[in-house]
Amino acid sequence: MKRWNHCSLAMLLAGMALVRMAGAAEHRLHPSTEQKPLPFAAKGASPLVAAQPDGLRVAASGQPVRVHLVPAAGVWDCSSKLWMLLDVANLGDAPVLVRGQIKSAGTSAWSVTDDAVEVPAGATRTLPILVSRKLSADDQQRMVSALGDLRGFPGGHQNSSWRQVDAAKINGVQLDFFTDAPKVDCLLSKLRGAIDFSLPSAGQLETLHRPCMDRFGQNTAEEWPLKIGHAAQLPERLRQEEAWLAKQAPLQGRSRFGGWTLGPKTEATGHFRTLKRDGKWWLADPEGNLFWSLGITCVGHDQGGTRTAGLRKALENTPSDETLPPLLRGLKGESWNPYQANLQRKHGAEWAATNAEFAHRRLHAWGINTMGNWSSPEFYHLGKTPYVVAVHYDRPLIDGRDGKWGNDLPDVFHPEFRERTFARMREEARSAADPWCIGYFIDNELSFPDAATPGSKALDAPLESPARQRLAAWLLEKHQTVEALNAAWGSSFADWSGLRPVDGKKTEAYWQDLKGFGELYLRTYYGTCRDAVRAAAPGKLYLGSRINHVKNKTALSVCAEYADVVSVNFYNYTPDALALPQGFDAPILVGEFHFG
């Protein structure tokens, strides 16, 4: 989309889950037959929506266009259906992407299920929205006991606690429209439920107790043309892919780093850098070519393992065509990695080194020019494809723990935070001198859903917490006396040592103070990380912390002041759905992006 032409780096998350490719040929999961009509109307009076004999017409300019649909009466009962479907006719002259979410009575959050369809100009397509339903405690326990803690159960149930809806009381559909055209002009009709939903009975669950995967890690319940039937097929597939790779010509107009040699030249610094040209942010490769990074995360051969009781017994019998010992079939203890086993079958004894080289050939043939976050050093240190580095380390946390790295908030006011950050960056000496290294993420998806979170956590921390002590000092400097603080917060602290979260309704001043401290926290955090990267790797880019709470505009703005590139993890159908702070002017890196 046009608004995202300034984006300097986009990375694609590998390992996508079920992708619902709506808009193409009718899919068996959401056919147009077997419908349950769901009468609907637009929520409130809206100049965007006009009632038509055959539906609602949405006609509006601006981006994005948002419309809420509600039941014509009461709620929609989709307890017996797996999908909600809506027909969208595009009356405009440019494609429109339509995204849909649902919610149910008694909840304020929209379902995390994001479904979308692209509707060509003059065409009609069906938007499918999966009903991510909440099960009763008994049904949940029955399914987990029989099948394990799977992400998806037979019948279509998504076993996830993220914003599930009450399928019997759905009371809203939120639609967002994205287009490059000056306006959106669409007709909405035929909202309905589709595909009967039911959980397996106790008897049916018993029949599901069978190996769900074969020794190659393939689904035993399905057949498809390229399914592996015996071990000798894997080396043959390798020969076929080798032949295909040999026919792939290198992308034209690309440098050895994947930069754009046919575009404007910039200063060659020997490292990747950022620049703004004609109002748009870019990366430049070490040779001075403009660079748009398209990458895949987790490039390596350690992915795809599973740990399930009984695996060794299920896999202990070696078929007649299999000569690998148990360890080379992916077994290690009670864990199993069929991907590694297949690599060994495919590449032979030197499978690890061979596969690392082979991965680069594949990436280049596919047009991929970056190894994204979590990729393996044994792959990216081969000097064949640009890469980014994930920097993680243990450090003191706000709540007083000396925590393992994760998304818990570090205590940035603890003296060891700065020491450990600088020490960890000094360990990156090899990548700091490597021209193929784009730069560093420090941390991943830290838990600050809003600007007040660091202050709230500091307020609830132990007395000896440096973050709590810094908050108390900051509040003392602002309010001067505890009596003034009590007047502002509606609290009754006897002294500064008694600071704690206020019970009940909070005053506006309370939230403003916590947000103000949150900004101080973020400036200290991003400033320290930036300084550590500059000290250890002065030629490399500091890529931020991979912000997943993108509604925290303070985090985005403060990160932009310190990081060379603001990184976000954004799971959606289009980056146009990301609402940036007013006046934001910085390159953005989408570190994880998919719509499974």
Side-chain angles (χ1 to χ4, degrees):
M1 297 294 179
K2 288 179 179 176
R3 191 165 62 85
W4 271 80
N5 285 345
H6 70 278
C7 176
S8 68
L9 191 63
M11 292 186 179
L12 193 65
L13 179 65
M16 294 171 68
L18 173 65
V19 179
R20 296 181 290 278
M21 297 303 292
E26 184 176 278
H27 194 286
R28 64 186 176 86
L29 289 181
H30 46 83
S32 56
T33 57
E34 192 184 338
Q35 302 169 0
K36 179 180 180 182
L38 302 171
F40 67 95
K43 181 179 180 180
S46 171
L48 310 181
V49 180
Q52 304 279 318
D54 49 354
L56 291 177
R57 187 169 183 176
V58 179
S61 57
Q63 292 288 311
V65 172
R66 173 168 288 178
V67 171
H68 289 101
L69 305 183
V70 294
V75 296
W76 295 308
D77 182 358
C78 288
S79 56
S80 65
K81 296 297 178 182
L82 180 60
W83 297 91
M84 293 179 73
L85 309 179
L86 177 70
D87 285 352
V88 182
N90 182 4
L91 308 179
D93 55 7
V96 174
L97 180 75
V98 187
R99 184 186 66 169
Q101 294 175 287
I102 58 177
K103 74 179 186 70
S104 58
T107 64
S108 58
W110 294 93
S111 169
V112 76
T113 301
D114 252 342
D115 291 282
V117 63
E118 183 177 6
V119 189
T124 299
R125 295 289 186 267
T126 298
L127 168 67
I129 304 176
L130 181 69
V131 180
S132 182
R133 71 198 66 229
K134 186 175 182 63
L135 295 184
S136 69
D138 288 344
D139 278 338
Q140 181 75 13
Q141 182 57 44
R142 180 170 64 90
M143 298 292 286
V144 171
S145 296
L147 300 171
D149 196 16
L150 302 176
R151 290 298 300 271
F153 286 140
H157 173 63
Q158 301 294 299
N159 182 24
S160 171
S161 61
W162 287 10
R163 301 183 191 170
Q164 293 172 330
V165 298
D166 184 338
K169 298 179 180 179
I170 297 174
N171 67 348
V173 173
Q174 177 177 280
L175 301 173
D176 291 305
F177 301 79
F178 302 92
T179 182
D180 285 340
K183 64 178 294 185
V184 168
D185 191 358
C186 291
L187 181 67
L188 312 178
S189 63
K190 297 180 183 176
L191 183 67
R192 70 267 192 196
I195 305 298
D196 288 338
F197 173 84
S198 62
L199 292 174
S201 66
Q204 289 172 321
L205 284 175
E206 291 179 4
T207 67
L208 293 172
H209 281 286
R210 55 174 171 74
C212 296
M213 284 188 177
D214 62 19
R215 60 193 163 114
F216 304 109
Q218 300 170 125
N219 183 359
T220 58
E222 298 279 353
E223 295 296 328
W224 57 91
L226 295 179
K227 189 174 185 180
I228 297 296
H230 52 84
Q233 286 180 284
L234 282 161
E236 176 57 30
R237 293 288 165 78
L238 174 60
R239 287 189 287 273
Q240 294 170 0
E241 187 173 5
E242 289 274 10
W244 180 84
L245 287 171
K247 297 177 182 178
Q248 305 312 305
L251 287 176
Q252 296 300 304
R254 298 295 188 270
S255 72
R256 64 191 181 109
F257 295 101
W260 182 30
T261 60
L262 303 180
K265 293 289 288 186
T266 66
E267 180 186 0
T269 64
H271 300 280
F272 283 87
R273 65 185 183 92
T274 62
L275 72 152
K276 192 174 185 182
R277 186 180 183 90
D278 299 328
K280 297 178 175 64
W281 283 101
W282 289 86
L283 288 179
D285 73 12
E287 296 174 342
N289 303 294
L290 298 183
F291 183 90
W292 173 273
S293 177
L294 179 63
I296 295 180
T297 68
C298 306
V299 180
H301 42 233
D302 293 330
Q303 311 298 322
T306 182
R307 183 181 293 276
T308 303
L311 274 173
R312 179 167 290 277
K313 186 175 188 304
L315 297 166
E316 64 185 4
N317 293 322
T318 301
S320 58
D321 72 326
E322 186 70 272
T323 58
L324 299 177
L327 180 59
L328 297 186
R329 294 207 308 275
L331 282 168
K332 188 176 182 180
E334 282 298 318
S335 66
W336 179 44
N337 192 317
Y339 175 56
Q340 285 190 11
N342 289 338
L343 289 174
Q344 294 162 36
R345 294 175 176 116
K346 194 171 185 177
H347 293 293
E350 301 299 323
W351 64 272
T354 303
N355 181 53
E357 294 276 354
F358 195 74
H360 290 277
R361 295 178 61 195
R362 276 182 163 177
L363 293 174
H364 298 169
W366 297 341
I368 301 295
N369 66 2
T370 304
M371 289 188 169
N373 207 45
W374 319 113
S375 294
S376 170
E378 62 188 302
F379 281 64
Y380 62 62
H381 278 318
L382 291 177
K384 295 178 181 293
T385 306
Y387 63 92
V388 293
V389 177
V391 173
H392 302 296
Y393 56 108
D394 300 342
R395 64 280 181 94
L397 305 177
I398 283 183
D399 62 11
R401 291 178 296 147
D402 189 12
K404 295 291 184 183
W405 74 266
N407 57 13
D408 292 326
L409 294 187
D411 190 338
V412 302
F413 303 104
H414 195 294
E416 289 189 21
F417 173 73
R418 185 175 181 86
E419 294 173 9
R420 294 194 195 183
T421 305
F422 274 66
R424 173 63 185 87
M425 276 305 308
R426 286 194 294 271
E427 296 173 3
E428 288 296 333
R430 181 176 180 183
S431 56
D434 187 356
W436 294 90
C437 176
I438 296 172
Y440 303 93
F441 301 107
I442 298 182
D443 290 314
N444 178 66
E445 298 187 348
L446 290 177
S447 183
F448 39 63
D450 57 60
T453 302
S456 297
K457 291 184 178 293
L459 197 60
D460 202 30
L463 283 173
E464 62 273 15
S465 164
R468 178 189 171 95
Q469 294 171 9
R470 184 67 181 89
L471 172 62
W474 186 82
L475 291 170
L476 173 61
E477 182 179 356
K478 179 174 181 179
H479 293 280
Q480 300 298 307
T481 66
V482 73
E483 289 78 16
L485 177 68
N486 285 332
W489 284 17
S491 52
S492 56
F493 304 130
D495 52 46
W496 292 101
S497 66
L499 286 176
R500 59 178 178 80
V502 172
D503 296 327
K505 186 175 177 62
K506 278 76 170 172
T507 66
E508 180 62 24
Y510 175 89
W511 289 119
Q512 289 302 317
D513 280 349
L514 293 189
K515 289 177 182 177
F517 180 77
E519 184 173 337
L520 171 65
Y521 173 94
L522 290 170
R523 290 184 184 282
T524 305
Y525 169 74
Y526 284 116
T528 302
C529 293
R530 186 270 316 275
D531 293 347
V533 172
R534 293 287 186 271
K540 300 304 177 189
L541 298 176
Y542 170 42
L543 305 174
S545 62
R546 297 163 55 84
I547 298 169
N548 65 323
H549 298 293
V550 293
K551 292 184 178 180
N552 185 344
K553 303 296 179 60
T554 301
L556 293 172
S557 296
V558 174
C559 182
E561 294 179 27
Y562 293 91
D564 298 299
V565 179
V566 177
S567 57
V568 299
N569 290 350
F570 192 66
Y571 288 72
N572 214 300
Y573 277 83
T574 170
D576 277 317
L578 175 59
L580 297 172
Q582 187 172 5
F584 185 92
D585 184 20
I588 289 184
L589 178 157
V590 182
E592 295 180 15
F593 174 68
H594 87 140
F595 36 91

